[in-house]
Amino acid sequence: MIEGLLKESVRSLTPYKPKSYKVLAKLDANENNHVALKLNDKIIEELKNLKINEYPDSDSTVVRGMLAEDLGVSIDQIILGCGSDQIITLIINAFIDKGDKILIHTPTFDMYRITNQVAGGVTLEVPLGENFEFNCAEFIRVMKEEKPKVIFLTNPNNPTGGVIPKDDIIQVIENSTGIVAIDEAYMEFYKDSAIDLVEKYNNVVVLRTLSKAFGLAGARVGYSIASTELTEAINRVKPPYNVSSIDQLAAKVCLENKEWSKEIIEEIIDERERVKDKLNKLCNIKVYNSEANFILFNIKNAKDIYEHLINKGVLIRHFGEQGPLAGCLRVSIGTKEQNDLFLKLLEDYVLL
Ligand SMILES: Cc1ncc(COP(=O)(O)O)c(C=O)c1O
């Protein structure tokens, strides 16, 4: 009976269940392992004064104010979400009716397609090229023909790590008749951003998160920056109290310690380059260039290697044996010790 009552668009969905193993090095979800535990003391101190009996500030004013000041935009241009996942949902809920179209490049982050499916929308996909590069001409051709209401560009892209040149982003915006959402979840590791385009184009929204560079994935805090007109439109579907007071407090403490995060980001970028060089020296491997805090590579016996690493206490991400990511593994950049353990186990396996 319950199956029959479900929305038609939801019937083919299965619950999203990230793998959970007890491991020495968790390198599967692009988290920031450098920050683990260090922020806790500061958060605990402030928690002592938190009125947990009261509903949180529905507008997340303090954190939005800090972000606005940092980014040089007005507070009215920012929405705080329960992760940038929720911002994606808000955009889809605000603009997509049953049968409306969104356009994405593939492979990319799965949540655009899943959220759009729940809304009853149609997802159009333009494949990335042989080296997972953005195919701007084809993307614009499909966009002009199909007139999607929402376009998602992920920069840097997950899971490939590749980037979309700024000129291509501008071309997409100039040719679009819909909302262009630029997901910059990993921007801090790339350092280029489309945020300046928000001032020029009122249909552009940039998505950011504190989950990656700032190590706050457990607190679930993401945000959007857009024109006040677009922000007001998206805000119409924002649930009240969407970010808990504990999460707002954690975000505030995290942003107060931004200088420390900057050092960590540099360490992660250096480690990414070191791991990339080491991987490139192995046989039967293709390593994709990454500007994020992870590296995607295609390797012989990917599934066996993935399982071998789990057995030795290192969890990375495997994408199955079908589709454009067949034979690909993605490793997040962890601490130096974690990266060394991963590299040693992989080298040992390959030399076996
Ligand atoms: C490209 C991209 N966007 C958004 C998210 C969601 O991040 P969060 O909801 O933790 O802010 C992720 C998480 O992996 C991601 O890879």
Side-chain angles (χ1 to χ4, degrees):
M1 175 192 144
I2 290 171
E3 192 63 24
L5 289 172
L6 269 178
K7 277 167 67 161
E8 199 187 318
S9 59
V10 175
R11 283 188 204 149
S12 62
L13 285 179
T14 46
Y16 182 80
K17 281 211 180 107
K19 293 241 170 19
S20 85
Y21 294 95
K22 280 249 165 297
V23 283
L24 298 170
K26 185 173 177 316
L27 302 175
D28 65 321
N30 308 336
E31 290 148 337
N32 180 338
N33 295 349
H34 291 68
V35 176
L37 301 181
K38 288 193 197 158
L39 270 178
N40 289 16
D41 283 348
K42 298 175 198 283
I43 293 173
I44 288 166
E45 196 48 44
E46 298 226 6
L47 267 176
K48 287 182 190 156
N49 298 318
L50 183 76
K51 291 186 182 159
I52 200 76
N53 60 308
E54 292 182 3
Y55 284 102
D57 171 11
S58 185
D59 294 327
S60 304
T61 316
V62 171
V63 178
R64 281 173 53 242
M66 292 173 89
L67 290 169
E69 200 181 315
D70 264 3
L71 300 167
V73 299
S74 147
I75 190 168
D76 298 329
Q77 293 181 266
I78 296 183
I79 300 175
L80 212 68
C82 174
S84 49
D85 271 349
Q86 187 181 43
I87 306 279
I88 295 167
T89 307
L90 298 183
I91 294 170
I92 301 265
N93 285 350
F95 292 102
I96 299 298
D97 262 333
K98 191 164 191 254
D100 284 344
K101 295 169 191 164
I102 72 162
L103 179 63
I104 61 174
H105 47 78
T106 50
T108 192
F109 186 50
D110 248 1
M111 288 314 289
Y112 317 125
R113 185 184 52 76
I114 296 170
T115 312
N116 190 44
Q117 179 175 340
V118 174
V122 175
T123 301
L124 306 168
E125 302 180 5
V126 174
L128 295 172
E130 201 185 330
N131 291 310
F132 295 135
E133 69 280 5
F134 183 64
N135 187 342
C136 191
E138 179 61 5
F139 199 85
I140 290 179
R141 190 192 66 73
V142 175
M143 195 174 69
K144 282 181 159 174
E145 199 173 295
E146 300 281 352
K147 304 209 169 10
K149 281 181 91 177
V150 181
I151 293 115
F152 284 99
L153 298 175
T154 317
N155 201 33
N157 187 34
N158 176 20
T160 62
V163 292
I164 306 175
K166 188 80 166 267
D167 285 351
D168 288 2
I169 296 178
I170 294 172
Q171 276 201 58
V172 169
I173 299 169
E174 294 270 346
N175 284 285
S176 86
T177 48
I179 304 299
V180 181
I182 306 166
D183 187 340
E184 295 190 346
Y186 302 95
M187 170 267 155
E188 291 82 1
F189 306 106
Y190 173 43
K191 300 195 174 160
D192 199 3
S193 170
I195 194 169
D196 55 313
L197 303 178
V198 161
E199 296 304 322
K200 188 162 176 210
Y201 303 97
N202 76 346
N203 60 331
V204 170
V205 52
V206 171
L207 278 56
R208 297 263 184 92
T209 181
L210 298 187
S211 298
K212 309 296 178 181
F214 299 97
L216 215 65
R220 313 299 304 121
V221 183
Y223 58 101
S224 61
I225 310 112
S227 62
T228 46
E229 190 187 352
L230 179 51
T231 301
E232 191 274 327
I234 300 170
N235 249 329
R236 293 187 203 185
V237 295
K238 183 183 87 61
Y241 315 127
N242 63 320
V243 183
S244 81
S245 46
I246 300 178
D247 293 346
Q248 289 186 41
L249 182 148
K252 178 179 100 55
V253 172
C254 174
L255 292 172
E256 280 167 355
N257 289 278
K258 229 176 152 205
E259 286 311 309
W260 173 56
S261 302
K262 282 184 190 155
E263 276 169 40
I264 290 174
I265 291 166
E266 293 311 313
E267 265 174 61
I268 293 173
I269 293 173
D270 289 349
E271 273 295 287
R272 176 187 74 204
E273 296 309 306
R274 184 178 75 89
V275 174
K276 209 187 283 177
D277 286 349
K278 292 255 179 185
L279 286 175
N280 267 320
K281 294 198 173 94
L282 297 177
C283 300
N284 295 319
I285 192 168
K286 176 170 179 175
V287 184
Y288 295 93
N289 192 41
S290 171
E291 300 290 339
N293 65 339
F294 55 82
I295 298 172
L296 184 78
F297 56 98
N298 195 301
I299 193 162
K300 210 171 136 204
N301 301 327
K303 187 163 185 287
D304 291 347
I305 291 174
Y306 168 74
E307 280 162 6
H308 172 76
L309 290 177
I310 291 181
N311 290 334
K312 300 280 180 191
V314 176
L315 180 62
I316 62 171
R317 182 82 194 266
H318 176 230
F319 292 95
E321 299 303 323
Q322 303 294 322
L325 292 170
C328 282
L329 297 172
R330 187 193 67 197
V331 63
S332 310
I333 302 302
T335 60
K336 184 173 184 311
E337 295 70 37
Q338 291 175 328
N339 301 333
D340 281 342
L341 177 62
F342 158 74
L343 286 167
K344 164 115 190 32
L345 292 171
L346 186 63
E347 277 162 10
D348 288 352
Y349 183 96
V350 173
L351 295 176
L352 273 181

